[in-house]
Amino acid sequence: MSDSTPRLGAHTVGSAGSAAAAGVLHLGLGNFHRAHQAVYTAAALRAAGGDWRIVGVASQSRSVVDAMRAQDLLYSVAEISPDGTSLSIPAVHSDVFVAAEEPGRVVDSIAASDIRVVTLTVTENGYSYSPSTGHLDLADPRIVADLGGRPPLTTIGQLARGLQRRAARSGAPMTILSCDNLTENGAHTERLVREFLTELPRSEGAEALAFLDNAVTFPSSMVDRIVPATTAELRETVAAQLGAWDEVPVPAEPFTMWAIEDRFAAGRPAWEAGGAVFTDEVGRYEQMKVRLLNGTHSLIAYLGALHGVATISEAIALPDIEAAAVTVLRSEYEPSITVPSGVDIRAYERQLFERWGNSALGHRTAQVGTDGSVKLRQRIPEPALASLDGGRMPQMIALTTAAYLSSIAPLPGFDPGPHARAMVDGARAPLAEMAASARDGAELARRAIAELHLFGQGLAERPEFIARVGELVDTITHHGIDAALRDSISASNDRPIPTRGAHR
Ligand code: CS2
């Protein structure tokens, strides 16, 4: 930033945005929310007005909150494609704060009657559920502490305590909308909140449970936009284009999609003005997205990282990784889904390859590979089981799993390289401990999948899948990722091997 560049603010853009009051409380003020829901909300406010500005809550970190406060709550979204970068400023937040600093304020805000919708982007990791059972993780000390009555710090605790207070105060209807990549994210969130309330003494939880029955909805939604981390270089590009310094711009691809179940208990912003689709087929959209996009994304990320490349676009440009991506999409994920009405699945797939190939975006393999233990739980078990039940080994899902284990918990002597080492994962420590004492890939796969139940109960009981993962871990360890890729491509070749460009 040159000294003469002014800080982004209402005076530099000539407006602080809409003057509407807030109607939405959003938990998870990360890049994804700021480039997705905020942009749809800006379109909704422009087209239809309404008191639907957003109070944004960051979970722990001060950085976005401090920067937005210094910028009159403004920031820019940089839409990045190989053709260039274009900026917009959504200007839809009416306030921002940090939950860890003001946990009581989260509860009060959920109870406040002007707030009618609570939205969530807290990542797959933010729901405090046990991947092996799908239920609230009662062994999680943070959940135990929230149940004990402290001002809640977990998302599920915040929702439950906020709804409890709302039930006691106004009992005004409201909607909780999950915008995370979880299958049936609405039902999943509702189940966890109910489990939390059920754990409380009856005198505490019963009123809130009745309130949930009568006045609270949990629609599901499918969200989609690739949003990388902000870089120093992006800040400079934005400053040059904007003529003002934005400390927290958000990079995003041009593509964006939002499919929502239209079950709102107390109104909602006119998000369709930004292109959101209201549909009864959200479950199908979610499956399509979580498996085809996210599942294949994980494959590209782990294979790419082990191959030594930093970004998704570099990884998908490698012919063997592209062939593996085509195979996992077409032969392993696609047969497990029902395509939503009106979606042209071939066009959708072609677009996926274009999106992954966006070389200007700089989406890192380490970012997509982070939190694999919770992300893969959403992405791989059901399609893998469907394939196994049909008598076919899902070779590419087994390879994704082996590449994940080798990235996070390498067997002794195997160096997964800097991009895999940069992946953050809550299961890294227990898996690394297993790897350190495992004799071979078979033992690591068995302990992770069958004993730790890393991918739930179903795959824990499929020794043939576990054995294949183990073999591939050994191949990666002793012969490298390229050998494992070639082996998997030829093993899945009971159908024609996809050739380069086969998806086009
Ligand atoms: C990615 C997603 O990091 C990941 O696991 O697969 O964040 C993906 O970029 C988004 O879901 C796209 O909508």
Side-chain angles (χ1 to χ4, degrees), residues 229 296 351 361 366 484 498:
T296 310
Q351 202 173 26
L361 203 54

Short mmCIF file of all heavy atoms in Angstrom, two decimals, residues 229 296 351 361 366 484 498:
data_model
loop_
_atom_site.label_atom_id
_atom_site.label_comp_id
_atom_site.label_asym_id
_atom_site.label_seq_id
_atom_site.Cartn_x
_atom_site.Cartn_y
_atom_site.Cartn_z
N ALA A 229 -8.22 -18.57 -0.19
CA ALA A 229 -7.80 -17.66 0.89
C ALA A 229 -7.32 -16.34 0.26
O ALA A 229 -6.84 -16.31 -0.87
CB ALA A 229 -6.69 -18.31 1.70
N THR A 296 -14.58 -35.01 -5.88
CA THR A 296 -13.50 -34.99 -6.87
C THR A 296 -12.44 -33.96 -6.49
O THR A 296 -11.24 -34.18 -6.71
CB THR A 296 -14.09 -34.69 -8.26
OG1 THR A 296 -15.19 -35.58 -8.48
CG2 THR A 296 -13.06 -34.88 -9.36
N GLN A 351 -18.37 -27.92 -16.86
CA GLN A 351 -18.14 -26.68 -16.12
C GLN A 351 -17.22 -26.93 -14.91
O GLN A 351 -16.39 -26.09 -14.58
CB GLN A 351 -19.49 -26.16 -15.66
CG GLN A 351 -19.53 -24.70 -15.36
CD GLN A 351 -20.96 -24.26 -15.09
OE1 GLN A 351 -21.81 -25.04 -14.67
NE2 GLN A 351 -21.23 -22.99 -15.32
N LEU A 361 -6.95 -18.32 -10.20
CA LEU A 361 -7.57 -18.30 -8.87
C LEU A 361 -6.59 -18.64 -7.74
O LEU A 361 -6.74 -18.17 -6.62
CB LEU A 361 -8.74 -19.30 -8.88
CG LEU A 361 -9.86 -19.14 -7.88
CD1 LEU A 361 -10.47 -17.74 -7.94
CD2 LEU A 361 -10.95 -20.19 -8.16
N ALA A 366 -3.47 -27.46 -0.45
CA ALA A 366 -3.46 -27.58 1.02
C ALA A 366 -4.77 -27.09 1.61
O ALA A 366 -5.23 -27.60 2.63
CB ALA A 366 -2.29 -26.78 1.60
N ALA A 484 0.83 -45.18 -7.98
CA ALA A 484 -0.49 -45.54 -7.43
C ALA A 484 -1.60 -45.07 -8.39
O ALA A 484 -2.61 -45.77 -8.58
CB ALA A 484 -0.66 -44.91 -6.05
N PRO A 498 -10.50 -43.34 -19.58
CA PRO A 498 -10.76 -42.03 -20.14
C PRO A 498 -9.47 -41.41 -20.66
O PRO A 498 -8.43 -41.51 -20.00
CB PRO A 498 -11.28 -41.24 -18.93
CG PRO A 498 -11.10 -42.09 -17.74
CD PRO A 498 -10.63 -43.43 -18.15
#
